[in-house]
Amino acid sequence: LARSIRSHYRAALVDEFQDTDPLQYKIFRRIYSGSEGALFLIGDPKQSIYGFRGADIFSYMEATNDVDTQYTLAKNWRSAGGLIRAVNAIFGGSPNPFTFTSLTFQPVEPGNTDEAGEFTIDGVGDQSPFKIWFLNREQGKKNTTKGVARSLVGHAVACEIVALLTKSMQGKACVCGRPIHAGDIAILVNTNWEARDMLRILKDYR
């Protein structure tokens, strides 16, 4: 069967390879390993942590050790320059930021150098495109419970969104030269119930 497939398809290209599970990768490797055929694997290791859609980080790591040659895109055309530089600074400061030696961090350059297309508030480009928030403990308490912390974070996020959209309606918050829309904002959570909880909080701020 492997020979038959190779005879029909001398080369195979697997896009979104980070979503490949262990069995699928074994099939690809069995067909093309040691043959004159070519197998191209195109993927993003950062996305291979999403197990809910079949991704398997260890399959990706195995593939990086099996392939003859690796290529990496040198420019990011999707993100603002400030955010790209911030990510480079955070992950580039460690010789092994992802623990596993098979997963290396490759700094990239902004593909779009037009700063006018970035996020602005009151006509000024955002000087902190990557922000980390710290949650203070409740006054007089040694620890904050997870439930209280989630609620505080949810309301803080909702308040930030309301502030951005309010400035947008006033013409003071723009992205790519146009007012910010609600569709420009995404909130990432770990579980479905956290998403439902965040939705409930957002509805309270309508």
Side-chain angles (χ1 to χ4, degrees):
L1 177 60
R3 286 194 300 270
S4 177
I5 293 175
R6 285 197 303 270
S7 67
H8 284 83
Y9 306 100
R10 294 292 302 278
L13 185 151
V14 183
D15 198 10
E16 302 291 349
F17 176 73
Q18 72 275 352
D19 294 340
T20 302
D21 65 33
L23 178 59
Q24 290 170 331
Y25 178 57
K26 287 181 180 179
I27 293 173
F28 293 133
R29 186 173 58 184
R30 176 67 180 85
I31 294 171
Y32 290 98
S33 179
S35 72
E36 294 182 355
L39 177 62
F40 298 91
L41 308 174
I42 302 173
D44 180 359
K46 296 186 296 299
Q47 297 185 50
S48 61
I49 63 173
Y50 300 135
F52 65 87
R53 64 187 191 194
D56 180 70
I57 187 69
F58 296 103
S59 293
Y60 194 101
M61 292 165 56
E62 187 176 0
T64 61
N65 295 323
D66 290 342
V67 298
D68 297 326
T69 308
Q70 296 186 44
Y71 300 93
T72 300
L73 296 177
K75 291 186 177 181
N76 181 333
W77 293 87
R78 292 184 173 183
S79 302
L83 178 60
I84 294 172
R85 289 187 290 271
V87 171
N88 286 341
I90 291 172
F91 292 103
S94 171
N96 194 20
F98 305 127
T99 304
F100 297 104
T101 56
S102 298
L103 300 175
T104 60
F105 176 75
Q106 301 288 340
V108 296
E109 297 179 357
N112 185 2
T113 58
D114 182 11
E115 298 295 331
E118 295 192 8
F119 174 57
T120 60
I121 295 181
D122 295 327
V124 180
D126 187 9
Q127 301 301 309
S128 302
F130 192 110
K131 299 178 181 179
I132 299 175
W133 289 356
F134 289 92
L135 180 65
N136 292 325
R137 296 188 181 95
E138 291 182 281
Q139 187 174 6
K141 293 188 177 181
K142 184 177 180 180
N143 296 309
T144 300
T145 64
K146 289 182 180 180
V148 171
R150 289 193 184 100
S151 178
L152 291 174
V153 169
H155 285 282
V157 170
C159 286
E160 182 75 3
I161 292 174
V162 169
L164 282 174
L165 295 180
T166 300
K167 281 184 173 291
S168 176
M169 289 187 290
Q170 298 169 348
K172 297 179 180 180
C174 300
V175 62
C176 297
R178 62 163 176 78
I180 293 175
H181 302 151
D184 296 320
I185 302 171
I187 303 172
L188 305 183
V189 295
N190 288 324
T191 63
N192 288 339
W193 68 265
E194 286 181 347
R196 289 191 292 268
D197 194 46
M198 191 68 236
L199 179 60
R200 177 186 57 77
I201 293 175
L202 288 171
K203 287 182 178 179
D204 292 339
Y205 282 76
R206 287 190 302 180

